[in-house]
Amino acid sequence: KPRHQAWRRRQVTCRPQHMVAYGETVAAAKENAVYTPPSEFIDYEGLKEEVYRAPSAEAASLLTHISGGSAAKRGERFISQLQVEMDKASRHVRARVSVIVGILANVLREAGKAEPASAELARLTQVTEDTSAQIVELMEYVEICRTACRKAAKKFDKVQRTSLGSWLVAQLALQPFCNVSLEPLIVMLSDGFASLRAASNPPKTDAEGRPIEWVPPSDFERSTTKYWVKTENVPELTARVLKHLSILIMGRTPPTLAQMAAEEAPVLMHPEYAQAIYSKFYEGTSVLSWITSLYLDSLSFRQYHERLARDDGANLFRLRWYGLDPEQAGTVYVERKTHRSKDSGEKSTKQRLPIAPSAVRDLLHPERALDVAAQLDAQLAAGAISEKQRDKGVALGVEVQAALAERGLLPAVRTVYQRTAFQASDSNSVRLTLDSNLSLIKEALALGDAEAPAAVHEWCRNLSEPLDPAHILPFPFAVLEVKLQEEAPAWVEELLASELLLP
């Protein structure tokens, strides 16, 4: 017993192994960085020294209201050092963003003037690839610094026996280097690569010379394969894909050369020009969009087991909307996915029809029998769908309702995630999606009274209300889905064989 007590006392003053391990992570990041000087990283070793340093004897009235006088004295010096490090990280991120914006603004303007197979086009391509590496490194830098501050703050709490750590973690979220959005840089990079591809191989145009715009079909055939991706590999994976496919943001049109020229400053490539381009066309743009899929199944989970076995002809039925709340989304898509085995010689299909959120319960209740034709007639009258889409949707609605009634399918599990989609602007023959921040949510597998007025949250759980933590499962990886309507291009094969995907 005395030996055990001595061991516990030593634990307070020694440095635990996992702290050393993350110090090695920071050291490796410094060594591998190409565009970031080592001095710009968070001084993790210095923060650790402050964690284990003897308590300060100075008064610290600033923090008295947080943890009391004695804890405040112990925390004053550590917080001061932590703030110095966070300010340094914020200055570095702002400076790097400014440099990257300037480079990409130049690429966007000059790519439209470059001749195919010219030396200038080759130079701009190399510049863009280098800038892509800079963005990846910057994203990794932000994550390294954020984690270093968070770990040091939590460790201070444990070692010094204070309650400052949770407060410090909350303050971390307010720091500029954590708040700056790097998504607009990703969109700008995507446009840069797209401009270079267009200069090398001009895109298809319509009879009036305008680029052909891709319109999502209501049904199509394709092969799909999913891969797990470690979250730390997401930036590098995104950069590799952007060399070949653009980020697809529905409703967004990249700025033209004429639009960018209108923002030009009197001095060629003056910093104000680059900032004007960024502010007008990119700032606030997001590459991530929330997607919700609610899967229907029986009490015996028949659909799940059939899909897991990948039997030929196995069906999956789900409801999908874009956003977190179906009412705010405005439209719910009823989808049927049919798996076809390789031996069948046919491709798997996905079919969908759009309905109003208020109509979903009628769809799910055999007693109510949703009038799909009326739903689609209203959309046809509004010009949202074509007559052909209307007729196919009506036929699909009849088949889906019959299958739901026969199999007793009800809301079983919901997935919510943020998706980044990659594909060409005029075709979906090669489409990649990257889903992150994925969570699975248990649904009720039940419906309300068929005679009661329809209400959205009678067929799905309301996420604005507290949920039992046992009913939420965060998924620890991102998910890459490769969707092909043709043979995989060489660059896709190289990506799938890379170290970025889990085997």
Side-chain angles (χ1 to χ4, degrees):
K1 184 175 179 181
R3 199 173 335 166
H4 176 64
Q5 290 175 339
W7 177 84
R8 292 192 62 184
R9 285 197 298 271
R10 286 199 302 272
Q11 287 296 97
V12 176
T13 56
C14 72
R15 289 163 174 75
Q17 182 61 36
H18 70 269
M19 285 285 284
V20 175
Y22 196 74
E24 293 173 355
T25 299
V26 176
K30 291 180 180 181
E31 183 177 350
N32 295 329
V34 176
Y35 307 96
T36 309
S39 60
E40 295 295 340
F41 282 84
I42 294 291
D43 182 9
Y44 188 62
E45 295 300 322
L47 288 174
K48 284 201 302 180
E49 290 299 322
E50 288 296 336
V51 166
Y52 294 97
R53 192 184 296 273
S56 169
E58 304 173 13
S61 59
L62 175 65
L63 298 174
T64 301
H65 66 285
I66 301 171
S67 300
S70 60
K73 293 176 182 178
R74 291 196 291 271
E76 178 191 13
R77 189 163 51 202
F78 173 75
I79 287 180
S80 176
Q81 180 65 22
L82 181 62
Q83 189 62 58
V84 168
E85 295 300 317
M86 292 191 295
D87 289 344
K88 177 178 67 178
S90 295
R91 286 193 300 271
H92 175 73
V93 170
R94 282 193 293 261
R96 294 309 306 163
V97 167
S98 179
V99 169
I100 291 170
V101 165
I103 295 172
L104 290 177
N106 185 50
V107 169
L108 287 167
R109 190 181 66 170
E110 297 302 320
K113 305 174 185 178
E115 295 293 330
S118 65
E120 176 63 6
L121 187 59
R123 184 189 70 82
L124 290 171
T125 300
Q126 185 60 57
V127 168
T128 307
E129 291 180 357
D130 290 345
T131 308
S132 174
Q134 290 189 51
I135 294 174
V136 170
E137 186 173 294
L138 182 60
M139 296 174 75
E140 293 171 348
Y141 168 86
V142 169
E143 189 57 36
I144 286 284
C145 291
R146 177 166 35 215
T147 303
C149 292
R150 179 175 54 82
K151 282 182 172 290
K154 290 180 71 174
K155 183 51 57 180
F156 179 87
D157 234 17
K158 180 178 180 181
V159 172
Q160 297 291 351
R161 299 179 181 178
T162 69
S163 58
L164 296 178
S166 57
W167 176 80
L168 290 171
V169 171
Q171 291 301 303
L172 181 62
L174 304 177
Q175 299 303 311
F177 83 94
C178 289
N179 280 329
V180 64
S181 175
L182 300 181
E183 290 182 53
L185 292 185
I186 298 295
V187 179
M188 208 172 184
L189 178 67
S190 174
D191 287 354
F193 277 122
S195 298
L196 294 168
R197 289 194 296 270
S200 177
N201 185 21
K204 300 174 184 177
T205 57
D206 59 20
E208 299 180 4
R210 294 173 301 190
I212 296 176
E213 200 170 314
W214 177 76
V215 178
S218 58
D219 56 85
F220 42 83
E221 298 179 349
R222 66 186 179 196
S223 64
T224 64
T225 312
K226 295 183 175 70
Y227 303 87
W228 292 359
V229 182
K230 291 183 179 180
T231 54
E232 60 264 32
N233 289 337
V234 167
E236 176 65 23
L237 177 66
T238 300
R240 290 197 192 183
V241 174
L242 288 180
K243 294 179 183 179
H244 308 278
L245 293 177
S246 298
I247 287 178
L248 178 67
I249 302 176
M250 298 302 295
R252 176 185 179 269
T253 302
T256 64
L257 188 60
Q259 288 173 322
M260 289 189 290
E263 301 297 327
E264 188 168 352
V267 180
L268 182 64
M269 283 315 299
H270 190 281
E272 290 181 4
Y273 164 73
Q275 186 57 48
I277 294 295
Y278 179 78
S279 299
K280 185 169 184 178
F281 300 111
Y282 295 98
E283 193 168 28
T285 305
S286 175
V287 303
L288 299 171
S289 57
W290 282 106
I291 295 181
T292 301
S293 296
L294 193 157
Y295 292 85
L296 308 177
D297 214 330
S298 63
L299 294 175
S300 63
F301 292 99
R302 171 183 172 182
Q303 302 297 115
Y304 168 76
H305 291 295
E306 287 182 355
R307 290 287 292 190
L308 196 63
R310 299 183 70 80
D311 295 331
D312 184 52
N315 287 321
L316 175 154
F317 297 92
R318 72 183 181 195
L319 308 174
R320 167 167 286 186
W321 58 92
Y322 296 95
L324 296 175
D325 187 277
E327 288 184 297
Q328 292 181 3
T331 301
V332 172
Y333 293 91
V334 183
E335 297 186 346
R336 178 177 66 185
K337 300 180 72 173
T338 304
H339 172 72
R340 302 312 307 264
S341 66
K342 291 183 179 180
D343 295 338
S344 71
E346 299 185 32
K347 293 183 178 181
S348 299
T349 62
K350 183 176 85 169
Q351 300 163 288
R352 63 181 348 198
L353 68 96
I355 62 175
S358 58
V360 171
R361 203 180 66 155
D362 287 357
L363 174 83
L364 299 177
H365 258 300
E367 299 92 336
R368 297 177 75 102
L370 174 67
D371 188 348
V372 176
Q375 286 280 316
L376 297 179
D377 284 341
Q379 296 183 47
L380 178 63
I385 59 174
S386 66
E387 192 165 341
K388 181 179 179 181
Q389 288 175 315
R390 181 263 181 204
D391 293 341
K392 293 176 73 172
V394 170
L396 177 62
V398 171
E399 294 172 9
V400 167
Q401 288 191 94
L404 300 188
E406 176 192 351
R407 300 186 175 212
L409 304 185
L410 295 168
V413 63
R414 184 189 319 195
T415 61
V416 294
Y417 49 87
Q418 289 183 295
R419 166 164 291 181
T420 304
F422 307 88
Q423 75 172 56
S425 60
D426 59 353
S427 169
N428 68 336
S429 59
V430 179
R431 175 182 169 89
L432 274 64
T433 58
L434 185 60
D435 299 334
S436 54
N437 299 317
L438 167 64
S439 291
L440 293 87
I441 300 172
K442 181 180 179 180
E443 286 289 343
L445 270 172
L447 293 172
D449 183 3
E451 301 302 322
V456 169
H457 292 304
E458 288 186 10
W459 55 265
C460 72
R461 303 181 73 163
N462 187 351
L463 297 190
S464 64
E465 297 178 354
L467 298 180
D468 184 343
H471 293 170
I472 306 173
L473 177 64
F475 192 68
F477 301 102
V479 178
L480 175 73
E481 186 169 11
V482 180
K483 310 173 185 184
L484 303 171
Q485 294 183 359
E486 56 186 32
E487 290 297 318
W491 70 267
V492 171
E493 296 287 3
E494 292 175 6
L495 182 68
L496 300 185
S498 73
E499 73 287 355
L500 297 177
L501 307 182
L502 291 176

